[in-house]
C-alpha cells in the first residue's frame, strides 16, 4: 500500500488527489510530494485537495495535509480540502490549529564569539567555585561552633558510620595501591642509581619521597575518587528528591546533619589512611630493595634512620587533614549544585572528582613552597 | 474506525501474578474493547498498576494469557512483539520524562528511533503533539525539571501519543492535579480519543473522571475483576467493596 499525491492542472486550477496510506512510514516520500506540489502553486489561483481516497491517515499524514493547505493558503490560493470523513475532519481541525511560530531554534552565535563566551563562562565559573568553597567553609565553621557550644547536637553515630565507610573500608585498597607505588619507586630508583653505584641512596629517595609527598598524595587522590564522588552522588540524589529541602523546612540545617559528619569523618580518616599508606609504601620499597637491589632489611633500616627525621614524616602528615577538608567541601558543594536531571548528577560528580584532585595537587604545591621557605 | 464495536483490543484470561508468597492477581479476566475508555478502579495496593505493567510486559506473569489486538504476546517472535509494542503508548504515573532531554526532544525521541522523518517534519509534528495536549510551543525548549505537575503529565501524554498508538495506558493521569486541571485533562483525553480513535485503559481513583470520561468501569478487588460495566452497573453492584467505593462519603 503506497501513498501518492496526483495532480492535474486545468485553467489555473490545481486538483490534487491524495491516495493510499498517509501514515508515518511513508512520511519521507509524502513530504517530497508535498514540496513538489506546493512549488507548482505559483501560477494557480485555486486548489482542490481531494482526500477521499486516503485509506489510512495518522497524525503525521494529517499534519502533512494540513501543511499543504497552509502553504497554498499562504501563497494566496483559494484552497479547499474535500472528501474527509467526520472523524478525519475533526483530526485535521485539531492539527491545523497548531501554532508553530516559536519552533525556530535560537540563533547560533558566531563561532569565535561562542568560543570566547565559553572561556569567559569558565573563568567566571572559577570565581564562583572559589566563592562557593569559601561559603561552605564559613557555614561549616559556624555549624562547628554551634555544635561545640551544644555538644548534644553533634551527630556522633553519623560520624562513626561515615568513618567506617571512608576510613575502615578503604584500608585494603589504599594499602595495596601505596604498597605497589612504593615498590615501583624503589625498583626504578635501584635500576637507575645502580649505573653510578649509588644504590644505597635509593633508601633516602624512597624514604623522603614517600613520607613527604607520595604517601599523602596517592591516598588523597584515591579518597577523592572513592569517597568524594560518593558524597557528591549521595547529596545530589538527596537534592534531586527534595530531601535536602525537606530537612530545611523542618528547621534542620542540612550542613549540620549531612555535611559536617561527612567532612569530619574525612578529616579523621585521611591522616590515618595516609599513615597506613606511607607505611605500606615503605614496606613495599624495603621489600624491593631487599629482593631486587640486594639491600638487606637491616641496612635499609639503618640507612632510613639516617635519611629521615620525624620532621619528614610530620611535613607529610600535616597536609592530610587540609586535603581531606578540601575534598570534602568540594564534594559537598558540587553535590548541592545538582539540578533535576540525571545528567546533572553525572556532570557534578565528574566535576567533584576533577576539581578536588586538582585542588589537592595545587595545595600540595603551596605546602611545598611554604616548607621550603621555612627551611624544613 | 473509531466505532465502539465489540471488537476486543485487549483480552486477559485467568491471569495470575504474584511476588514471592503473595498473589496479587488471582485468575483475573477482562476485555477492553476497541475505541472505548475503560476506567480501572481498585483499592491502594489492589494490583491496578500491576495489571497494567503485566499487560505491557514489564512484569512477568505466572499463568494466564494476554492478547493484544488478537496477538498472544507469549507466542510471538521478538519482531512481532516490538511491532505490537509500537501500537501502544504509556503514560506513567510520574511522567517518566527523560530528564536530560528537552520537552521537544522527549516527544521526538520515539519518532526519531522508529520513523524516518526529516528534521523539519520532526519539529513540526512535535509542536502539533504539544498543541494537541494543550501546551504552547514555548514549552518545547524547556527541560522536564522546569515543568509543573500538570504540564509534566501533558508532555508525557504527548510523548505517549508520538507514534500514533491505538491503545494508550494511563496510570492515574489526574492524580496530583487540582480539580480544574484534572477536569481539563479528562476533556483532553476525551477529545483525543474522539479525534484519534484511541482505545484508553485508564487506572484512576478519580470518581469525577470515572463519571465524565469513562465508557466502562472495571473494579478490582481480591485479585479479580468483581464488576465491569458502565457507571449505572457500578452503582447497582452488590459487591461490598464496589458499594463502599461508589456509595461512600466521597461519592455523589
Amino acid at each position: 500500500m503506497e501513498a501518492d499525491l496526483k495532480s492535474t492542472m486545468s485553467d489555473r486550477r490545481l486538483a490534487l488527489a491524495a491516495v493510499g496510506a498517509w501514515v508515518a512510514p511513508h512520511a519521507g516520500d509524502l513530504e517530497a510530494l508535498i514540496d513538489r506540489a506546493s512549488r507548482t502553486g505559483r501560477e494557480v489561483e485555486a486548489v482542490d485537495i481531494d482526500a477521499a481516497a486516503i485509506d489510512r491517515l495518522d497524525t503525521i499524514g494529517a499534519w502533512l495535509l494540513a501543511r499543504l493547505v497552509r502553504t497554498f493558503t499562504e501563497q494566496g490560493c483559494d484552497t479547499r480540502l474535500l472528501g474527509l470523513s467526520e472523524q478525519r475532519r475533526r483530526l485535521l481541525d485539531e492539527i491545523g490549529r497548531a501554532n508553530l511560530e516559536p519552533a525556530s531554534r535560537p540563533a547560533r552565535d558566531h563561532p569565535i564569539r561562542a568560543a570566547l563566551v565559553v572561556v569567559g563562562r569558565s573563568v567566571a565559573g572559577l570565581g564562583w567555585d572559589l566563592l562557593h568553597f569559601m561559603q561552605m567553609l564559613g557555614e561549616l565553621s559556624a555549624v562547628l561552633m554551634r555544635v561545640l557550644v551544644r555538644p548534644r547536637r553533634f551527630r556522633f553515630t553519623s560520624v562513626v558510620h561515615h568513618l567506617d565507610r571512608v576510613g575502615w573500608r578503604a584500608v585494603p585498597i589504599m594499602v595495596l595501591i601505596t604498597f605497589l607505588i612504593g615498590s615501583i619507586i624503589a625498583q626504578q630508583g635501584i635500576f637507575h642509581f645502580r649505573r653510578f653505584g649509588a644504590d644505597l641512596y635509593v633508601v633516602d629517595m624512597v624514604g623522603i619521597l614517600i613520607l613527604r609527598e607520595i604517601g599523602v598524595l596517592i591516598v588523597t587522590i584515591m579518597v577523592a575518587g572513592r569517597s568524594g564522588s560518593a558524597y557528591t552522588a549521595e547529596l545530589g540524589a538527596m537534592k534531586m528528591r527534595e530531601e535536602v529541602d525537606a530537612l530545611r523546612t523542618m528547621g534542620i540545617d542540612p550542613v549540620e546533619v549531612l555535611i559536617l559528619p561527612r567532612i569530619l569523618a574525612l578529616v579523621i580518616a585521611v591522616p590515618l589512611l595516609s599513615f597506613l599508606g606511607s607505611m605500606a609504601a615503605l614496606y613495599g620499597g624495603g621489600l624491593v630493595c631487599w629482593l631486587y637491589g640486594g639491600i638487606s632489611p637491616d641496612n635499609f633500616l639503618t640507612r632510613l634512620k639516617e635519611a629521615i627525621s620525624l620532621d619528614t614524616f610530620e611535613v607529610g602528615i600535616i597536609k592530610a587533614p587540609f586535603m581531606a577538608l578540601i575534598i570534602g567541601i568540594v564534594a559537598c558543594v558540587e553535590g548541592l549544585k545538582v539540578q533535576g536531571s540525571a545528567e546533572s548528577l553525572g556532570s557534578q560528580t565528574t566535576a567533584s572528582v576533577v576539581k578536588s584532585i586538582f585542588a589537592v595537587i595545587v595545595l600540595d604545591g603551596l605546602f611545598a613552597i611554604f616548607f621550603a621557605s621555612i627551611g624544613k | 474506525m473509531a466505532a465502539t464495536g465489540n471488537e476486543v483490543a485487549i483480552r486477559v484470561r485467568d491471569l495470575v501474578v504474584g511476588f514471592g508468597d503473595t498473589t496479587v492477581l488471582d485468575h483475573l479476566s477482562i476485555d477492553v474493547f476497541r475505541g472505548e475508555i475503560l476506567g480501572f478502579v481498585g483499592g491502594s495496593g489492589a494490583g491496578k498498576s500491576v495489571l497494567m505493567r503485566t499487560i505491557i510486559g514489564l512484569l512477568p506473569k505466572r499463568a494466564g494469557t494476554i492478547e493484544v489486538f488478537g496477538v498472544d504476546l507469549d507466542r510471538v517472535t521478538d519482531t512481532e512483539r516490538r511491532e505490537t509494542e509500537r501500537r501502544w503508548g504509556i503514560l506513567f504515573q510520574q511522567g517518566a520524562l527523560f530528564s536530560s532531554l528537552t520537552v521537544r526532544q522527549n516527544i521526538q525521541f520515539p519518532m526519531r528511533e522508529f520513523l524516518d522523518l526529516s528534521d523539519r517534519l520532526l519539529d513540526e509534528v512535535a509542536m502539533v503533539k504539544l498543541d494537541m495536549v494543550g501546551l504552547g510551543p514555548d514549552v518545547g525548549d524547556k527541560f522536564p525539571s522546569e515543568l509543573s505537575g500538570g504540564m509534566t503529565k501533558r508532555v508525557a501524554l504527548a510523548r505517549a501519543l508520538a507514534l500514533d498508538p491505538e491503545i494508550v495506558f494511563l496510570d492515574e493521569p489526574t492524580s496530583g492535579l487540582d480539580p480544574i486541571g484534572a477536569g481539563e485533562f479528562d476533556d483532553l483525553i476525551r477529545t483525543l480519543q474522539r479525534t484519534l480513535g484511541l482505545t484508553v485503559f485508564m487506572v484512576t481513583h478519580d470518581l469525577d473522571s470515572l463519571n465524565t470520561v469513562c465508557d466502562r468501569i472495571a473494579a478490582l478487588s481480591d485479585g479479580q475483576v468483581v464488576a465491569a460495566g458502565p457507571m449505572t452497573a457500578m452503582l447497582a453492584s452488590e459487591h461490598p467493596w464496589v458499594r463502599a467505593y461508589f456509595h461512600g462519603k466521597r461519592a455523589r
Side-chain angles (χ1 to χ4, degrees), chain A residues 25 28 43 57 62 113 116 153 187 197-198 210 226 247-248 281 301 312 316 338 340 342 346 370 374:
Chain A
E43 317 97 54
L57 182 71
R113 201 182 117 87
L116 288 176
R153 299 179 66 148
Q187 188 272 335
I210 284 171
R226 187 183 175 279
L247 277 175
R248 263 199 198 109
L301 282 178
T312 327
V338 169
F370 172 72
I374 64 169

Side-chain angles (χ1 to χ4, degrees), chain B residues 118-136:
Chain B
S118 67
D119 278 349
R120 177 181 167 199
L121 192 55
L122 271 174
D123 278 352
E124 286 173 349
V125 172
M127 289 301 141
V128 167
K129 304 265 168 178
L130 265 183
D131 184 81
M132 284 170 96
V133 298
L135 293 173

